[in-house]
Amino acid sequence: VQLQASGGGLVQAGGSLRLSCVSSGGISGISVMAWYRQAPGKQRELVATIGTRGSIRFADSVKGRFTISRDSAKNTLYLQMNMLKPEDTAVYYCNVQDLGVLPSRNYWGQGTLVTVSS
C-alpha cells in the first residue's frame, strides 16, 4: 500500500488549501484515515481522523477551520484547510490504520509542506 499526499504550498494567513491523499489500494473496508502534521522542531501531532463509518475527530487547534473527508470509491482522503494561520505551517502527513486485517497495519504518506505566511 502506498499513500501519495499532495496539495501543499505557500499561502497567506486567512487563505485556504486542500490536501489530498491517494491510496494505491489494498486496504480493507475497516480503516481509520488521518492527517498529522509536524512543524519544525516539534513532534508530529494529530490533526484530524475519519473512520470508515464517518466518525470524525479534530485537534482543538483546527476545529471550525479544517474539515476532513474521504472518498472510498477514489481511495482518497482530503483535508480542507480554511482560515489558515502561520502556526499551521508544517509538513502534513496522511495516515491509514487498516483495522480489517490481523495484525492491523499502519501506513504513512510522504508528507506535503504547507507554509502560511503572516
Side-chain angles (χ1 to χ4, degrees):
V1 175
Q2 292 186 336
L3 303 178
Q4 182 70 40
S6 63
L10 174 63
V11 64
Q12 288 187 334
S16 299
L17 283 174
R18 188 175 83 154
L19 305 184
S20 299
C21 176
V22 180
S23 166
S24 61
I27 298 175
S28 77
I30 305 174
S31 64
V32 176
M33 305 183 79
W35 288 97
Y36 287 75
R37 67 185 181 187
Q38 188 167 18
K42 295 187 177 181
Q43 291 187 332
R44 191 172 298 188
E45 64 175 358
L46 178 67
V47 175
T49 66
I50 182 167
T52 301
R53 297 183 179 181
S55 60
I56 291 175
R57 284 195 304 143
F58 289 103
D60 288 343
S61 58
V62 305
K63 282 181 181 177
R65 300 188 297 122
F66 290 11
T67 58
I68 187 172
S69 60
R70 60 193 287 175
D71 186 333
S72 298
K74 296 181 179 180
N75 292 328
T76 303
L77 173 70
Y78 301 100
L79 184 70
Q80 178 66 44
M81 306 185 294
N82 299 324
M83 296 182 287
L84 283 161
K85 304 176 181 180
E87 50 264 44
D88 294 318
T89 295
V91 177
Y92 285 70
Y93 298 90
C94 54
N95 169 269
V96 174
Q97 293 182 27
D98 191 343
L99 304 175
V101 295
L102 290 176
S104 62
R105 297 177 182 175
N106 202 28
Y107 303 102
W108 289 94
Q110 86 287 3
T112 184
L113 177 62
V114 172
T115 304
V116 184
S117 63
S118 57

